[in-house]
Amino acid sequence: MEIPIFTVDAFTNVPFKGNPAAICLIENELQDDLYQSIAAEMNLSETAFITKRNSVDFSSGARFGLRWFSPTNEVPLCGHATLASAAVLFYMKKNINPVLVFETMSGELYVRQHEESLIMDFPLNKPDPQDQHEIKDLLKAAVGDLPVQDVCYSPATKKLMVRLADTCDRSELESLRPEEEALLRNETTGKIKSLIITLKGAESTQSGYDFYSRVFAPWVGVPEDPVTGSAHTVLAGYWSEKLKKNKMLAHQCSSRGGEVKLEIRNDGRLDIIGQAQIILHGTIKI
C-alpha cells in the first residue's frame, strides 16, 4: 500500500514557521490502529487523514471525510490540520470547487479560498468562567507567580483558557516554560486536554494584534502546539466579548510563531483565516 503524504506549515506565509501538519490522502478507510501508528511516526502535533467518501477523486470532489490524530490519540477538532488539508486539495490536487466540505467528529467544516488565504468556517466555542481556586495547583504549574485575570473552560473542546493580567507583557508570556510533568501531575481528571494562556494585545505597539496566546497540550502528547486553530474557537469566543469586536487579529507566541485572522459571522459561527505553505510531498509505503 502506498499513501501520498504532505507536510504543510499552517498559519504562515513563509516556510518553517507556523504549525506543521502531516496530511495523508486515503483511497480506502484504514484500521484505527494504522491511523494512529502513522501519526506517531510523523510525530507532529497532528496528522490528518482525508478520505474520498462519495467523491470520485481528490480533484473534482467537494465533500471529504477528515480525521485528526496526535502522536497518542485521535482528537475531535483541529484547525491547523484542516487548513493544511484544504491547502493540499486546492494547491496540489488543483481541486476545482469553490468550497470544500469536511465531514468530521465536530460536524461539517467548510473551507474556501480567498486571494492568498484560506477561510475555514468553524464553530464558535465560548468558554465558561472557571473557579481559579479549584485548579490553583495547575495554574501555579502553568504560569508560576504571574497574575491571572480570568480563567475559563470550554467543555466542547476540553480546553482551559487562562488570561494573564493586563500588567503582564508579551515577553512574560513568551518566557513561560511550564513543565510537562507538572501539568500532567496537576490535571488527572481527563477534563482538560489543552491549556491556553492568553494576553491582551498592547495598544501602544504597532503590531495590531488584539491578543496573544500560547497553547500546551501534554495530555494528548503535544508539549506545545505552535499555532492552533481550534484554540482560537475558544479565544475568539472570549475576546470578542471583552474587546467588543467581531474581527480580530491574533498572534501565537510559540518559537515558530503564527498569525490568525478571526471574524465572527452573523450566524454565530467563526471564520478562521490563514495561509499555508506546502513543504514536503512523499509516499508512505506499508
Side-chain angles (χ1 to χ4, degrees), residues 10-26:
F11 295 118
T12 180
N13 61 354
V14 294
F16 314 121
K17 295 293 185 180
N19 198 354
I23 310 299
C24 296
L25 301 180
I26 305 297

Side-chain angles (χ1 to χ4, degrees), residues 73-126:
N73 57 275
E74 187 169 12
V75 297
L77 182 65
C78 180
H80 85 277
T82 303
L83 190 82
S85 296
V88 168
L89 293 177
F90 280 132
Y91 303 153
M92 300 301 292
K93 304 307 291 184
K94 307 300 180 185
N95 193 283
I96 61 174
N97 294 282
V99 179
L100 299 176
V101 184
F102 294 112
E103 299 173 2
T104 78
M105 290 175 63
S106 294
E108 292 185 348
L109 305 176
Y110 304 84
V111 187
R112 65 189 188 274
Q113 294 188 79
H114 178 68
E115 297 176 349
E116 299 298 316
S117 298
L118 297 170
I119 303 176
M120 301 188 293
D121 173 355
F122 265 46
L124 184 65
N125 293 301
K126 293 184 179 181

Side-chain angles (χ1 to χ4, degrees), residues 119-154:
I119 303 176
M120 301 188 293
D121 173 355
F122 265 46
L124 184 65
N125 293 301
K126 293 184 179 181
D128 303 317
Q130 169 81 35
D131 186 350
Q132 296 186 28
H133 298 290
E134 293 180 359
I135 53 169
K136 64 180 188 303
D137 292 336
L138 178 60
L139 289 177
K140 179 71 173 178
V143 303
D145 295 324
L146 291 180
V148 171
Q149 182 153 332
D150 278 331
V151 179
C152 297
Y153 176 70
S154 167

Side-chain angles (χ1 to χ4, degrees), residues 5-10 16 19-24 42 44 84 88 256 277-282:
I5 186 167
F6 305 82
T7 298
V8 183
D9 290 342
F16 314 121
N19 198 354
I23 310 299
C24 296
M42 294 303 101
L44 296 173
V88 168
R256 292 177 64 99
Q277 300 293 310
I278 297 174
I279 301 300
L280 179 149
H281 177 200

Side-chain angles (χ1 to χ4, degrees), residues 47-76:
T47 297
F49 299 89
I50 308 172
T51 54
K52 289 195 296 188
R53 294 287 167 89
N54 296 326
S55 298
V56 174
D57 57 46
F58 292 108
S59 299
S60 63
R63 180 175 291 270
F64 301 93
L66 182 62
R67 297 173 71 179
W68 312 278
F69 287 77
S70 79
T72 60
N73 57 275
E74 187 169 12
V75 297

Side-chain angles (χ1 to χ4, degrees), residues 5 7 19-22 35-49 69-72 80 220-226 284:
I5 186 167
T7 298
N19 198 354
Y35 287 125
Q36 189 61 71
S37 294
I38 293 171
E41 182 77 9
M42 294 303 101
N43 200 32
L44 296 173
S45 57
E46 266 81 26
T47 297
F49 299 89
F69 287 77
S70 79
T72 60
H80 85 277
V220 295
V222 181
E224 181 169 7
D225 210 342
I284 297 176

